Amino acid sequence: MVKAVVAGAAGGIGQPLSLLLKLNPLVDELALYDVVNTPGVATDLSHISTAAKVTGYLPKDDGGKAAFKGADIIVIPAGVPRKPGMTRDDLFNINAGIVKGLIEIAAEVAPKAYILVISNPVNSTVPIAAEVLKAKGVFDPKKLFGVTTLDIVRAETFVAEIVGEKKGQDLTIPVVGGHSGETIVPIFSQISSGAKIPDDKYDALVNRVQFGGDEVVKAKDGAGSATLSMAYAGYRFAEKVLKAAKGEKGLVEPSYVYLPGVPGGEAIAKETGVDFFSVPVELGVNGVEKVTNPLTGISDKEKELVKVAIEGLKGNIQKGVQFAHNPP
Ligand code: NAI
């Protein structure tokens, strides 16, 4: 029996993500948690004739514990999204506390769950999650993931437009580093098809992958940030985690993980000087099976991008760790 939880399930990402999970035959039970509206969302989804049993919970239901109890996978898109002019870092003050609270519940009633953090700023919320889990003595770095899949999805789409692929999904493009602005590093020298990005398009393409989220924030004009493409991306990652847990092999997707705690990560932590970094992760029955070093053989331009990303990440990670130890 597989129990999946979506925390923030009534939100812009949470609702379509919950819909996709309701359609997944690997999910037996889908528990929706939010501070508002989950009874309605759960009842609505429960009328879909797929197998997963859907339940909705609010804080009054044992402060969230009833929802999280015994979960196998917890996906967290809870928090506030960006408005025009905001960076992901501007969300820190509100979302840091929300993520900390949700991870505390998970640590208590679902310590073995895979935890997928979507709430921004991912560069800082994942270190917060790690610190909370460490403090509770239940940190398994192989099961904590910052979801950066949307950056990969955007890279696939934008590169496909340039190289004339019909479906970006057929390309594998590592996007590594972090998940905000200049910490996002697309490695175009490693596009699976061997496609090359023309020199005159390179800088604009890098910029579009790094700041693609701003296009959505601007177009939504105050009504939030990416929700539908994020639900797709979050689902794609969750589905891979679930399939790998069932024994499927060869499933790889970059994710923002705690390097010193995952096989193959220690050397990358030494090379980059940061403990958290998004790297290609091979998934297995216990979560991260191994990570591969995406920096081997990269171009000089990519080396420059990585350098900038690392500088940004250092501050983001430190901010998260400090918050976990000394919340305001
Ligand atoms: P939203 O405002 O539409 O939904 C957030 C939901 O979280 C709301 O329903 C709210 O009631 C709920 N919530 C707030 N506090 C909560 C708590 N303590 N426990 C449970 N639920 C709580 O926002 P949206 O657009 O769904 O975005 C959610 C988060 O995802 C934001 O932080 C956003 O920045 C982030 N995001 C991350 C992306 C990524 O690539 N990792 C991409 C796009 C957004």
Side-chain angles (χ1 to χ4, degrees):
M1 293 293 281
V2 171
K3 176 173 177 180
V5 174
V6 178
I13 297 168
Q15 291 202 36
L17 177 63
S18 301
L19 169 62
L20 293 168
L21 286 166
K22 167 70 174 129
L23 306 184
N24 188 315
L26 296 177
V27 177
D28 300 293
E29 187 183 347
L30 178 61
L32 308 184
Y33 180 68
D34 200 301
V35 291
V36 290
N37 295 341
T38 36
V41 178
T43 304
D44 191 355
L45 287 179
S46 74
H47 287 191
I48 296 174
S49 52
T50 53
K53 176 174 169 268
V54 188
T55 46
Y57 298 90
L58 293 167
K60 69 176 173 54
D61 303 314
D62 205 13
K65 285 186 204 166
F68 282 53
K69 196 166 173 45
D72 299 288
I73 178 167
I74 299 170
V75 192
I76 306 183
V80 289
R82 288 189 293 158
K83 296 235 157 58
M86 287 172 90
T87 65
R88 293 182 183 84
D89 207 36
D90 293 331
L91 303 173
F92 184 89
N93 291 339
I94 303 171
N95 291 354
I98 292 175
V99 170
K100 182 170 178 287
L102 292 169
I103 298 293
E104 280 164 352
I105 302 172
E108 195 182 327
V109 298
K112 300 238 180 289
Y114 305 101
I115 298 177
L116 280 54
V117 180
I118 292 174
S119 312
N120 272 318
V122 165
N123 292 358
S124 305
T125 51
V126 175
I128 292 173
E131 290 304 312
V132 171
L133 293 165
K134 271 185 213 167
K136 302 263 181 198
V138 293
F139 182 37
D140 180 353
K142 297 196 291 305
K143 290 190 159 181
L144 176 65
F145 304 94
V147 180
T148 58
T149 321
L150 184 54
D151 303 323
I152 293 118
V153 169
R154 286 191 178 125
E156 291 169 356
T157 305
F158 304 156
V159 167
E161 282 169 21
I162 288 178
V163 302
E165 275 278 341
K166 242 200 207 138
K167 240 187 337 137
Q169 284 175 348
D170 292 342
L171 301 165
T172 304
I173 307 166
V175 182
V176 303
H179 172 69
S180 76
E182 290 181 331
T183 68
I184 299 171
V185 182
I187 309 286
F188 293 136
S189 64
Q190 292 173 13
I191 300 175
S192 55
S193 64
K196 294 277 169 277
I197 305 301
D199 280 349
D200 62 332
K201 299 218 159 70
Y202 181 84
D203 289 345
L205 184 62
V206 169
N207 188 272
R208 194 166 180 215
V209 172
Q210 291 183 327
F211 296 94
D214 294 2
E215 288 179 20
V216 183
V217 172
K218 200 163 159 238
K220 290 198 174 178
D221 197 17
S225 59
T227 54
L228 301 171
S229 50
M230 181 59 234
Y232 162 74
Y235 175 72
R236 171 164 131 176
F237 191 71
E239 185 188 33
K240 283 193 176 173
V241 170
L242 289 171
K243 282 182 169 172
K246 286 267 177 212
E248 196 171 321
K249 297 273 177 216
L251 295 166
V252 178
E253 190 87 85
S255 176
Y256 186 69
V257 295
Y258 178 67
L259 292 172
V262 294
E266 190 77 58
I268 309 171
K270 277 214 181 90
E271 183 177 338
T272 56
V274 286
D275 281 351
F276 292 88
F277 205 78
S278 186
V279 287
V281 169
E282 186 173 338
L283 295 157
V285 282
N286 296 312
V288 179
E289 186 119 331
K290 68 170 194 288
V291 300
T292 46
N293 190 340
L295 308 180
T296 311
I298 61 174
S299 70
D300 288 345
K301 275 188 176 173
E302 287 162 352
K303 281 183 191 151
E304 280 306 308
L305 295 174
V306 168
K307 218 164 118 191
V308 175
I310 289 170
E311 279 321 301
L313 277 171
K314 278 183 181 160
N316 296 157
I317 294 166
Q318 196 184 20
K319 196 169 170 184
V321 172
Q322 269 169 3
F323 176 89
H325 291 285
N326 301 299

